[in-house]
Amino acid sequence: MEAKLSAASRRVAPSPIQQLSHLAQRAGAVNLAEGFPDFPAPAHVKAAAAAAIAADLNQYRHVQGICDVLAETMKRDHGLHVDPLTDFAVCCGQSEAFAAAIFAIIDQGDEVLLFDPAFETYQTCIELARGVSVYVPLDPPSWTLNEDKFLKSFTDRTKAVVLNSPHNPTGKVFSKEELLIIAQACQKMDCFAITDEVYEYITYDENKHISLASLPGMQDRTIITSSLSKTYSVTGWRIGWACAPASIASAIRNIHVKLTDSAPAPFQEAALVALTSTPDFYTSLKKDYTARRDFILQMLTDFGFRISFKPQGSIFVFVELPRSWQLSDMEFVTNLIKNAGVAAVPGRGFFHSSSDDPSYHHRYVRFAFCKSNDTLNAAAEKMKKLAASDARILRPTDDGEAGQTVSAISP
């Protein structure tokens, strides 16, 4: 019966993350691969979920209050005026919101522009809608938008541009200048923009998240998708949303209802509490993640990496292997799991486009730092032991430089 599987299902191959997860589990590796927190969710958010379950709010449900709060937040943060009654679809995570948005606007043969490297699920959704993914490479090491490459990627079949900022896997936050280039092109070519803004509250230093929809002329053609997952450390709760003009939001809602009917009821109730967290919560979130980012950057420097791009946002660092190591990303990650007991993600799974130097597609590794202090300290200790051992397959030669010794991160 395998031969009767759909062509779409055959095109969906296991990712490098999936391929290495079993090896990591067998080795009992410290998980710096997957982008989910291993520390507790905020107590007030968990209490709200528990109270909703105890109150038997366990059936199909739409909590309109989520849309009301989100509308207020978008006005406050981005100057957007949206109607909470018509402009939202509450979905099972950002992933479903994004998929429903693609299904709502993409027909067979429509082209969708994505910035490369890119999160892998975008392409799958586009393929299931029988659209065509067109990748626009960002220029390393700072992953800058090349205006010429971007504009030349448009054709008369371009239907949408996908923008993820802050960006997975690189940690880039698109600048206002880059966003203006994207906005002007979308308007000139009369196409949609779909944004993935799940890391909107996790930015560093002076970098600020700007929603593409807030730029002149963009609100009427932009579908914003986001979720509770990363900000409130509840990736398994699957509460997300799409925000768009009423007619587009209606189409997304209709598809969502046919796919899953409703997002988990008790977690919708908890979302109301999460989304009304005090400013102190977001200040603490940024402070804690800044400490984690700085810790992992020092850990990687001590191991022999040269950090050419410091994450501006998100929960990932995307680092290039030193040329002298003579290892591909897959070889490095496999050896890191086996010899140090630390798991990361080979970068090749995020690259899709051709480039003048395609070899760099196999030279990057992604580490997630949305982990507890104990997890990060354990990873640092394991990598320190490996760097001091005879396992030179993971160590730099003449090219390497020692950094200052990383100090344990404290609660």
PDB file of all heavy atoms in Angstrom, residues 251-271:
ATOM      1  N   ALA A 251     -11.455  33.633   6.019  1.00  0.00           N
ATOM      2  CA  ALA A 251     -11.036  32.443   5.271  1.00  0.00           C
ATOM      3  C   ALA A 251     -10.135  31.558   6.120  1.00  0.00           C
ATOM      4  O   ALA A 251     -10.263  30.317   6.108  1.00  0.00           O
ATOM      5  CB  ALA A 251     -10.315  32.872   3.997  1.00  0.00           C
ATOM      6  N   ILE A 252      -9.225  32.169   6.884  1.00  0.00           N
ATOM      7  CA  ILE A 252      -8.332  31.396   7.755  1.00  0.00           C
ATOM      8  C   ILE A 252      -9.127  30.688   8.840  1.00  0.00           C
ATOM      9  O   ILE A 252      -8.889  29.503   9.139  1.00  0.00           O
ATOM     10  CB  ILE A 252      -7.262  32.327   8.363  1.00  0.00           C
ATOM     11  CG1 ILE A 252      -6.336  32.854   7.258  1.00  0.00           C
ATOM     12  CG2 ILE A 252      -6.459  31.599   9.444  1.00  0.00           C
ATOM     13  CD1 ILE A 252      -5.399  33.953   7.721  1.00  0.00           C
ATOM     14  N   ARG A 253     -10.095  31.391   9.429  1.00  0.00           N
ATOM     15  CA  ARG A 253     -10.929  30.774  10.468  1.00  0.00           C
ATOM     16  C   ARG A 253     -11.701  29.579   9.914  1.00  0.00           C
ATOM     17  O   ARG A 253     -11.818  28.532  10.574  1.00  0.00           O
ATOM     18  CB  ARG A 253     -11.922  31.791  11.040  1.00  0.00           C
ATOM     19  CG  ARG A 253     -11.427  32.583  12.210  1.00  0.00           C
ATOM     20  CD  ARG A 253     -12.565  33.269  12.968  1.00  0.00           C
ATOM     21  NE  ARG A 253     -13.446  34.008  12.078  1.00  0.00           N
ATOM     22  CZ  ARG A 253     -13.220  35.250  11.656  1.00  0.00           C
ATOM     23  NH1 ARG A 253     -12.117  35.883  12.030  1.00  0.00           N
ATOM     24  NH2 ARG A 253     -14.083  35.854  10.865  1.00  0.00           N
ATOM     25  N   ASN A 254     -12.254  29.721   8.729  1.00  0.00           N
ATOM     26  CA  ASN A 254     -13.022  28.624   8.126  1.00  0.00           C
ATOM     27  C   ASN A 254     -12.152  27.391   7.933  1.00  0.00           C
ATOM     28  O   ASN A 254     -12.590  26.256   8.188  1.00  0.00           O
ATOM     29  CB  ASN A 254     -13.618  29.069   6.794  1.00  0.00           C
ATOM     30  CG  ASN A 254     -14.715  30.104   6.949  1.00  0.00           C
ATOM     31  OD1 ASN A 254     -15.296  30.238   8.029  1.00  0.00           O
ATOM     32  ND2 ASN A 254     -14.996  30.837   5.895  1.00  0.00           N
ATOM     33  N   ILE A 255     -10.923  27.593   7.485  1.00  0.00           N
ATOM     34  CA  ILE A 255     -10.007  26.463   7.297  1.00  0.00           C
ATOM     35  C   ILE A 255      -9.624  25.872   8.644  1.00  0.00           C
ATOM     36  O   ILE A 255      -9.610  24.644   8.818  1.00  0.00           O
ATOM     37  CB  ILE A 255      -8.767  26.923   6.514  1.00  0.00           C
ATOM     38  CG1 ILE A 255      -9.165  27.258   5.075  1.00  0.00           C
ATOM     39  CG2 ILE A 255      -7.679  25.852   6.537  1.00  0.00           C
ATOM     40  CD1 ILE A 255      -8.097  27.980   4.286  1.00  0.00           C
ATOM     41  N   HIS A 256      -9.331  26.722   9.613  1.00  0.00           N
ATOM     42  CA  HIS A 256      -8.992  26.249  10.963  1.00  0.00           C
ATOM     43  C   HIS A 256     -10.105  25.370  11.536  1.00  0.00           C
ATOM     44  O   HIS A 256      -9.836  24.297  12.088  1.00  0.00           O
ATOM     45  CB  HIS A 256      -8.737  27.449  11.881  1.00  0.00           C
ATOM     46  CG  HIS A 256      -8.980  27.181  13.335  1.00  0.00           C
ATOM     47  ND1 HIS A 256      -8.192  26.338  14.079  1.00  0.00           N
ATOM     48  CD2 HIS A 256      -9.947  27.650  14.174  1.00  0.00           C
ATOM     49  CE1 HIS A 256      -8.652  26.291  15.318  1.00  0.00           C
ATOM     50  NE2 HIS A 256      -9.708  27.083  15.400  1.00  0.00           N
ATOM     51  N   VAL A 257     -11.347  25.809  11.401  1.00  0.00           N
ATOM     52  CA  VAL A 257     -12.475  25.046  11.952  1.00  0.00           C
ATOM     53  C   VAL A 257     -12.572  23.674  11.295  1.00  0.00           C
ATOM     54  O   VAL A 257     -12.845  22.668  11.959  1.00  0.00           O
ATOM     55  CB  VAL A 257     -13.790  25.834  11.789  1.00  0.00           C
ATOM     56  CG1 VAL A 257     -14.988  24.951  12.101  1.00  0.00           C
ATOM     57  CG2 VAL A 257     -13.789  27.059  12.699  1.00  0.00           C
ATOM     58  N   LYS A 258     -12.320  23.611   9.977  1.00  0.00           N
ATOM     59  CA  LYS A 258     -12.386  22.326   9.286  1.00  0.00           C
ATOM     60  C   LYS A 258     -11.220  21.415   9.654  1.00  0.00           C
ATOM     61  O   LYS A 258     -11.349  20.186   9.609  1.00  0.00           O
ATOM     62  CB  LYS A 258     -12.382  22.546   7.767  1.00  0.00           C
ATOM     63  CG  LYS A 258     -13.564  23.358   7.251  1.00  0.00           C
ATOM     64  CD  LYS A 258     -14.905  22.698   7.563  1.00  0.00           C
ATOM     65  CE  LYS A 258     -16.049  23.514   6.973  1.00  0.00           C
ATOM     66  NZ  LYS A 258     -17.379  22.951   7.338  1.00  0.00           N
ATOM     67  N   LEU A 259     -10.088  22.014  10.026  1.00  0.00           N
ATOM     68  CA  LEU A 259      -8.920  21.211  10.379  1.00  0.00           C
ATOM     69  C   LEU A 259      -8.975  20.718  11.821  1.00  0.00           C
ATOM     70  O   LEU A 259      -8.782  19.522  12.082  1.00  0.00           O
ATOM     71  CB  LEU A 259      -7.639  22.038  10.180  1.00  0.00           C
ATOM     72  CG  LEU A 259      -7.207  22.326   8.740  1.00  0.00           C
ATOM     73  CD1 LEU A 259      -6.008  23.274   8.735  1.00  0.00           C
ATOM     74  CD2 LEU A 259      -6.853  21.038   8.014  1.00  0.00           C
ATOM     75  N   THR A 260      -9.205  21.612  12.770  1.00  0.00           N
ATOM     76  CA  THR A 260      -9.085  21.238  14.184  1.00  0.00           C
ATOM     77  C   THR A 260     -10.245  21.712  15.049  1.00  0.00           C
ATOM     78  O   THR A 260     -10.270  21.423  16.244  1.00  0.00           O
ATOM     79  CB  THR A 260      -7.776  21.802  14.784  1.00  0.00           C
ATOM     80  OG1 THR A 260      -7.783  23.227  14.667  1.00  0.00           O
ATOM     81  CG2 THR A 260      -6.565  21.240  14.067  1.00  0.00           C
ATOM     82  N   ASP A 261     -11.156  22.464  14.486  1.00  0.00           N
ATOM     83  CA  ASP A 261     -12.333  23.000  15.176  1.00  0.00           C
ATOM     84  C   ASP A 261     -11.998  24.109  16.154  1.00  0.00           C
ATOM     85  O   ASP A 261     -12.475  25.228  16.029  1.00  0.00           O
ATOM     86  CB  ASP A 261     -13.132  21.900  15.877  1.00  0.00           C
ATOM     87  CG  ASP A 261     -14.520  22.394  16.251  1.00  0.00           C
ATOM     88  OD1 ASP A 261     -14.624  23.167  17.225  1.00  0.00           O
ATOM     89  OD2 ASP A 261     -15.491  22.037  15.566  1.00  0.00           O
ATOM     90  N   SER A 262     -11.170  23.799  17.169  1.00  0.00           N
ATOM     91  CA  SER A 262     -10.820  24.847  18.126  1.00  0.00           C
ATOM     92  C   SER A 262      -9.498  24.530  18.786  1.00  0.00           C
ATOM     93  O   SER A 262      -9.069  23.375  18.847  1.00  0.00           O
ATOM     94  CB  SER A 262     -11.905  25.012  19.200  1.00  0.00           C
ATOM     95  OG  SER A 262     -11.912  23.908  20.074  1.00  0.00           O
ATOM     96  N   ALA A 263      -8.846  25.563  19.270  1.00  0.00           N
ATOM     97  CA  ALA A 263      -7.632  25.381  20.050  1.00  0.00           C
ATOM     98  C   ALA A 263      -8.007  24.846  21.437  1.00  0.00           C
ATOM     99  O   ALA A 263      -9.160  24.970  21.880  1.00  0.00           O
ATOM    100  CB  ALA A 263      -6.893  26.712  20.169  1.00  0.00           C
ATOM    101  N   PRO A 264      -7.061  24.229  22.166  1.00  0.00           N
ATOM    102  CA  PRO A 264      -7.365  23.629  23.466  1.00  0.00           C
ATOM    103  C   PRO A 264      -8.025  24.621  24.428  1.00  0.00           C
ATOM    104  O   PRO A 264      -7.466  25.685  24.736  1.00  0.00           O
ATOM    105  CB  PRO A 264      -5.995  23.185  23.980  1.00  0.00           C
ATOM    106  CG  PRO A 264      -5.203  22.952  22.733  1.00  0.00           C
ATOM    107  CD  PRO A 264      -5.660  23.989  21.767  1.00  0.00           C
ATOM    108  N   ALA A 265      -9.203  24.259  24.893  1.00  0.00           N
ATOM    109  CA  ALA A 265     -10.037  25.193  25.661  1.00  0.00           C
ATOM    110  C   ALA A 265      -9.382  25.708  26.944  1.00  0.00           C
ATOM    111  O   ALA A 265      -9.342  26.923  27.170  1.00  0.00           O
ATOM    112  CB  ALA A 265     -11.390  24.538  25.966  1.00  0.00           C
ATOM    113  N   PRO A 266      -8.858  24.846  27.827  1.00  0.00           N
ATOM    114  CA  PRO A 266      -8.302  25.386  29.077  1.00  0.00           C
ATOM    115  C   PRO A 266      -7.073  26.264  28.839  1.00  0.00           C
ATOM    116  O   PRO A 266      -6.830  27.210  29.589  1.00  0.00           O
ATOM    117  CB  PRO A 266      -7.941  24.134  29.884  1.00  0.00           C
ATOM    118  CG  PRO A 266      -7.880  23.025  28.892  1.00  0.00           C
ATOM    119  CD  PRO A 266      -8.848  23.369  27.812  1.00  0.00           C
ATOM    120  N   PHE A 267      -6.340  25.972  27.765  1.00  0.00           N
ATOM    121  CA  PHE A 267      -5.158  26.776  27.483  1.00  0.00           C
ATOM    122  C   PHE A 267      -5.530  28.113  26.835  1.00  0.00           C
ATOM    123  O   PHE A 267      -4.769  29.077  26.934  1.00  0.00           O
ATOM    124  CB  PHE A 267      -4.183  25.986  26.620  1.00  0.00           C
ATOM    125  CG  PHE A 267      -3.691  24.730  27.280  1.00  0.00           C
ATOM    126  CD1 PHE A 267      -3.529  23.557  26.549  1.00  0.00           C
ATOM    127  CD2 PHE A 267      -3.405  24.710  28.637  1.00  0.00           C
ATOM    128  CE1 PHE A 267      -3.083  22.395  27.164  1.00  0.00           C
ATOM    129  CE2 PHE A 267      -2.960  23.558  29.254  1.00  0.00           C
ATOM    130  CZ  PHE A 267      -2.798  22.387  28.516  1.00  0.00           C
ATOM    131  N   GLN A 268      -6.679  28.168  26.187  1.00  0.00           N
ATOM    132  CA  GLN A 268      -7.173  29.476  25.745  1.00  0.00           C
ATOM    133  C   GLN A 268      -7.470  30.364  26.954  1.00  0.00           C
ATOM    134  O   GLN A 268      -7.161  31.557  26.952  1.00  0.00           O
ATOM    135  CB  GLN A 268      -8.438  29.313  24.903  1.00  0.00           C
ATOM    136  CG  GLN A 268      -8.220  28.774  23.503  1.00  0.00           C
ATOM    137  CD  GLN A 268      -9.481  28.906  22.671  1.00  0.00           C
ATOM    138  OE1 GLN A 268      -9.937  30.010  22.385  1.00  0.00           O
ATOM    139  NE2 GLN A 268     -10.060  27.766  22.294  1.00  0.00           N
ATOM    140  N   GLU A 269      -8.067  29.762  27.969  1.00  0.00           N
ATOM    141  CA  GLU A 269      -8.340  30.533  29.183  1.00  0.00           C
ATOM    142  C   GLU A 269      -7.037  31.033  29.819  1.00  0.00           C
ATOM    143  O   GLU A 269      -6.940  32.182  30.270  1.00  0.00           O
ATOM    144  CB  GLU A 269      -9.123  29.676  30.188  1.00  0.00           C
ATOM    145  CG  GLU A 269     -10.496  29.243  29.712  1.00  0.00           C
ATOM    146  CD  GLU A 269     -11.487  30.392  29.594  1.00  0.00           C
ATOM    147  OE1 GLU A 269     -11.271  31.443  30.246  1.00  0.00           O
ATOM    148  OE2 GLU A 269     -12.464  30.244  28.833  1.00  0.00           O
ATOM    149  N   ALA A 270      -6.035  30.165  29.842  1.00  0.00           N
ATOM    150  CA  ALA A 270      -4.744  30.563  30.404  1.00  0.00           C
ATOM    151  C   ALA A 270      -4.081  31.642  29.549  1.00  0.00           C
ATOM    152  O   ALA A 270      -3.340  32.486  30.069  1.00  0.00           O
ATOM    153  CB  ALA A 270      -3.831  29.349  30.512  1.00  0.00           C
ATOM    154  N   ALA A 271      -4.352  31.620  28.242  1.00  0.00           N
ATOM    155  CA  ALA A 271      -3.779  32.630  27.350  1.00  0.00           C
ATOM    156  C   ALA A 271      -4.227  34.034  27.758  1.00  0.00           C
ATOM    157  O   ALA A 271      -3.453  34.994  27.647  1.00  0.00           O
ATOM    158  CB  ALA A 271      -4.178  32.349  25.909  1.00  0.00           C
TER     159      ALA A 271
END
